[in-house]
Amino acid sequence: MSSVSQNLKSIKEQLPEYVTLVAVSKTQPNEMIMEAYEEGQRIFGENKVQELVDKQENLPKDIQWHMIGHLQRNKVKYIAPFVALIHGVDSLRLLRAINKEGARNERIIPCLLQMHIASEETKFGLDENELFELLESEEFRSFSNVEIHGLMGMATFTNDEEKVASEFRYLKKTFDLIGEKYFETNSAFSVLSMGMSGDYETAVAEGSNMVRIGSSIFGERNYR
Ligand SMILES: *Cc1c(COP(=O)(O)O)cnc(C)c1O
């Protein structure tokens, strides 16, 4: 058995059944993705639009492609026809662009709102005020070609497990709160995307139901 299938198997054994695994395949060649595919994996995550489009064209059509990276408004059009879930929605302006491309493609595009939960400034996402402002806005409520499926966040990159846990706990608390307040009658709002190779066990313990795992499946990435 290849190491990719072995890694995938052992991660899936550890994850509770209700947790969706997004295999993060950024920078990895198509052959590696096919190894995971042959092991039954169908959900893959990428963070660059061009790479996502190339892979979607060349790999099996039953793969569900998740955009997990920072997305620029002018690039939404390239992924709008096929993307299964956009994890990193961090502004009303971006959501407006996705809604527009959703309409153009006659589809409703599933999105997650990204919250900034880490202490690093470099990470993207909405703070609590911005999140509520977006959800309260009339324009947001008028969008009919996007659907908010939940929240996404990235914890601080640190060995301090209690810090990571408390950031995830905060995201889970916000997820529950806005679920009750804004999405009570919308069962699509159900996804809490948190946890990567280094912290997914903590994330799951804190209530994650979608983890995004790259290097623990595919090994180290080759940035060219
Ligand atoms: C790269 C990336 C991951 C996966 O990271 P690993 O540490 O390799 O598991 C998860 N989420 C996002 C947003 C990423 O950019």
Side-chain angles (χ1 to χ4, degrees), residues 146-166:
V146 289
E147 185 164 56
I148 304 300
H149 283 217
L151 297 183
M152 180 272 218
M154 292 169 87
T156 304
F157 185 72
T158 171
N159 290 327
D160 182 348
E161 233 180 86
E162 188 39 49
K163 180 174 172 62
V164 170
S166 80

Side-chain angles (χ1 to χ4, degrees), residues 88 192 201 206:
L192 184 54
E201 284 150 320
E206 295 300 337

Side-chain angles (χ1 to χ4, degrees), residues 188-204:
F189 187 88
S190 60
V191 177
L192 184 54
S193 168
M194 56 185 201
M196 323 190 351
S197 292
D199 57 19
Y200 72 88
E201 284 150 320
T202 308
V204 169

Side-chain angles (χ1 to χ4, degrees), residues 160-175:
D160 182 348
E161 233 180 86
E162 188 39 49
K163 180 174 172 62
V164 170
S166 80
E167 291 171 357
F168 286 146
R169 203 172 301 142
Y170 166 68
L171 187 60
K172 169 70 160 89
K173 198 179 111 205
T174 312
F175 172 74

Side-chain angles (χ1 to χ4, degrees), residues 44-81:
F44 292 88
E46 292 283 336
N47 70 339
K48 297 245 159 45
V49 166
Q50 187 59 55
E51 190 175 346
L52 178 53
V53 168
D54 288 345
K55 285 175 172 171
Q56 193 270 338
E57 277 172 8
N58 292 299
L59 286 160
K61 295 299 172 234
D62 62 342
I63 290 179
Q64 297 165 44
W65 292 102
H66 287 199
M67 175 64 193
I68 62 168
H70 187 64
L71 179 58
Q72 286 170 297
R73 278 172 286 140
N74 61 356
K75 293 196 175 160
V76 173
K77 57 178 178 283
Y78 302 113
I79 62 171

Side-chain angles (χ1 to χ4, degrees), residues 24 26 68 152 154 196-197 212-215 221:
V24 176
K26 61 192 187 196
I68 62 168
M152 180 272 218
M154 292 169 87
M196 323 190 351
S197 292
R212 310 174 310 271
I213 300 183
S215 42
R221 280 182 284 276

